[in-house]
Amino acid sequence: MFSGLPYVYSLLNCLICLWYGTPLISPDNLLVTTVNTIGGVFQLVYITIFLIYAEKARKVRMLGLLLAVLGIFVIILVGSLQIDDRAMRRMFVGLLSCASLISMFASPLFIIKLVIRTKSVEFMPFYLSLSTFLMSISFFLYGLVSDDTFIYVPNGIGTVLGIVQLILYFYYKSSSTENYRQPLIVSCE
């Protein structure tokens, strides 16, 4: 009953960021390349597991999404290589990387809205919020030290959103008891 969409989108994000970190785009960003290579491999493993256990309709949809993501990445890769000016190529891929990262960090905003509405952190796992914050602040600091706007801006936004999630978690944690939980999906029987 899980959606495979987050895994496919995370794969696209990892591929774009991996491409940004390569010497053809951004010299001296081996850490970005390494981290996103590992992230891409993990996403492929998750997608494979999803495909093994999903029902046929979801498998077909997931394969279509996976092909679309790979197609988009090939277009980005080939398109960016057509840009002869190295600084312009870096800006093009860097802006795509920023947009991808910011949208990934902004996706929990829907959960934040749900937490506030239900006054429950049931749908916002603590360790996911904590790991998002830790990863964001790590890359924010790395981006500052390496003076890379395309790394510190989206991760700075991710850090702020991670802090908001953690504050909400601790604020609503005490009120998240079984008595106060509201159903996420209401049956209309």
Side-chain angles (χ1 to χ4, degrees), residues 82-115:
Q82 301 305 310
I83 302 171
D84 292 328
D85 181 13
R86 195 174 176 101
M88 187 58 112
R89 183 185 319 148
R90 183 175 180 269
M91 179 169 287
F92 173 71
V93 178
L95 287 172
L96 289 174
S97 175
C98 266
S100 178
L101 281 166
I102 289 170
S103 66
M104 289 276 297
F105 291 133
S107 63
L109 290 175
F110 298 109
I111 296 299
I112 289 172
K113 181 182 173 186
L114 182 65
V115 166

Side-chain angles (χ1 to χ4, degrees), residues 50-103:
F50 184 90
L51 289 171
I52 290 170
Y53 293 104
E55 64 259 6
K56 186 176 180 176
R58 285 185 180 247
K59 282 182 187 182
V60 170
R61 182 171 183 261
M62 179 63 96
L63 284 172
L65 289 170
L66 182 59
L67 289 175
V69 159
L70 294 176
I72 289 168
F73 178 66
V74 167
I75 290 168
I76 292 168
L77 188 125
V78 171
S80 64
L81 288 175
Q82 301 305 310
I83 302 171
D84 292 328
D85 181 13
R86 195 174 176 101
M88 187 58 112
R89 183 185 319 148
R90 183 175 180 269
M91 179 169 287
F92 173 71
V93 178
L95 287 172
L96 289 174
S97 175
C98 266
S100 178
L101 281 166
I102 289 170
S103 66

